[in-house]
Amino acid sequence: MSGRGKGPLAGVRVLDLTAVLMGPYATQIFADLGADVIKIEGPAGDTTRFIPPGPDPTRGAMFLNVNRGKRSLALDLKQQAAREAVLRLAKDADVFIHSMRAQAIARLGLDYAALKAANPKIIYANLYGYGRTGPYRDYPAYDDIVQAASGIVDLQAKLSNGEPTYSATVIADKVAGLTGAYAVIAALYAREKTGEGQEIEVPMFETLVSFAATEHICGSLFDPPLGPPVYPRATSPSRRPYKTADGHVGVMIYNDKQWQAFFRELGNPAWSDDPMFASMRSRSENISAVLAEVEKVMVTRTTEAWMELFRRAEIPATPIASLQDLLHDPHLVETGFWHSAETELGTLRYPGIPTNFSGTPGAIGDPGPTLGADNSAVLGEAGFAEDEIAAMVASGAVLP
């Protein structure tokens, strides 16, 4: 079922020295799009291997999904022979990507200088917590830590009565992973034009600050500031799914046309004449009051009645869906989003590849591999003779 050789990245070889979620999510995208991703793990394996549930205690659901389509090479990088094996593999690789702190990867002798010496055209991507030129460079970082440091937790608190909360999805890991993926692909494109490789740095902290500041920089874009760094609509206490007579519904009445249609459907109530509803500017300046008025009227009808009204008025709206609901969502079923596969672990249902290419579609690969499953194949392709591989296994540089 492997997707290697299919997709726009077919023929690209990636050495993947990442773990947990940020880096593996980036390299999952590469694998989905056809790249040959070689996941390099230490003797203990990626820690996400052991996060349940799953029938295999060394391959939980998260690991199986985010490492799909990859091959596993298990090396003890504390041994010189293992490090030399990575440099030998790098000669025929297009990308080397890691998620270790700068000092740690340098101690292994696998920094950019070492990989560039082995292959001047290699794209070398550093994915780690904080940029290496700043005072936080040696701090450990996980998703929760970066959410707290980046302003995301503080923004969430504005929607939680001032109580700091994390996002319910690992947003820092995934945003940084996506950023790493597009950065590597951009560098590959640049190499096609120049013939030269380069080093990339993707720090989670800076990436998530950039992500949060996209809309929230707001008045602080100007110097001196015209206002605080916060986008009022996004943090209004009234910005939430509206309660209806029998449930909740998500609604986004946004532009002038939609507001006019909304008021027509309601019979143009007296409050619709309030000047604060007149334009995008006036609504933005009074956003909490605007949303509070809508909140009052939403409780007067059922969810079904509101959905009929909103569809008739062409106003974006939806009932609240859970992930459980989405497993059987008719749109996702019809578009073939969910991908079922028969594997040695039984039937697996993967979330699909969200992008479509008319000429070079990607493919969902095999589930995340067992530790070291591809040792012999990967090393053999790099020119290692059987006796060399056997000697490295005997020394512990390569896991048996």
Side-chain angles (χ1 to χ4, degrees), residues 100-296:
M100 301 174 68
R101 280 178 278 178
Q103 288 186 344
I105 196 73
R107 283 196 299 268
L108 289 177
L110 295 175
D111 58 9
Y112 177 52
L115 272 291
K116 183 179 180 181
N119 179 357
K121 292 187 175 183
I122 203 161
I123 305 301
Y124 185 103
N126 305 275
L127 274 64
Y128 35 52
Y130 301 90
R132 62 190 171 194
T133 59
Y136 303 163
R137 59 183 172 271
D138 296 324
Y139 290 1
Y142 287 99
D143 187 275
D144 289 359
I145 303 306
V146 175
Q147 282 197 42
S150 67
I152 293 291
V153 166
D154 180 66
L155 289 168
Q156 287 292 109
K158 299 180 190 305
L159 301 178
S160 306
N161 297 316
E163 184 69 23
T165 60
Y166 295 119
S167 168
T169 184
V170 284
I171 192 170
D173 273 332
K174 290 188 288 186
V175 169
L178 284 168
T179 303
Y182 82 63
V184 167
I185 292 170
L188 287 169
Y189 177 70
R191 192 181 68 180
E192 286 298 302
K193 295 192 297 181
T194 66
E196 298 179 1
Q198 61 181 300
E199 183 179 17
I200 298 166
E201 182 183 47
V202 184
M204 291 175 71
F205 175 56
E206 287 90 326
T207 297
L208 207 62
V209 171
S210 174
F211 181 78
T214 299
E215 77 280 29
H216 284 292
I217 190 65
C218 218
S220 292
L221 180 71
F222 306 95
D223 190 9
L226 300 181
V230 61
Y231 176 39
R233 194 197 75 79
T235 58
S236 168
S238 296
R239 181 193 170 231
R240 63 186 65 198
Y242 292 112
K243 187 174 182 179
T244 65
D246 62 352
H248 291 82
V249 63
V251 185
M252 183 70 168
I253 313 169
Y254 190 64
N255 60 37
D256 292 346
K257 180 180 177 181
Q258 290 164 358
W259 279 102
Q260 291 163 10
F262 179 58
F263 290 138
R264 280 197 306 272
E265 289 287 342
L266 294 181
N268 295 308
W271 56 276
S272 68
D273 293 328
D274 191 318
M276 73 180 179
F277 290 101
S279 68
M280 177 67 79
R281 185 180 187 89
S282 62
R283 291 190 299 271
S284 297
E285 290 174 342
N286 300 277
I287 190 62
S288 290
V290 166
L291 297 180
E293 287 297 325
V294 178
E295 188 174 19
K296 292 176 186 176

Side-chain angles (χ1 to χ4, degrees), residues 352-371:
I353 302 172
T355 53
N356 291 295
F357 295 80
S358 63
T360 56
I364 301 292
D366 296 323
T370 56
L371 184 61

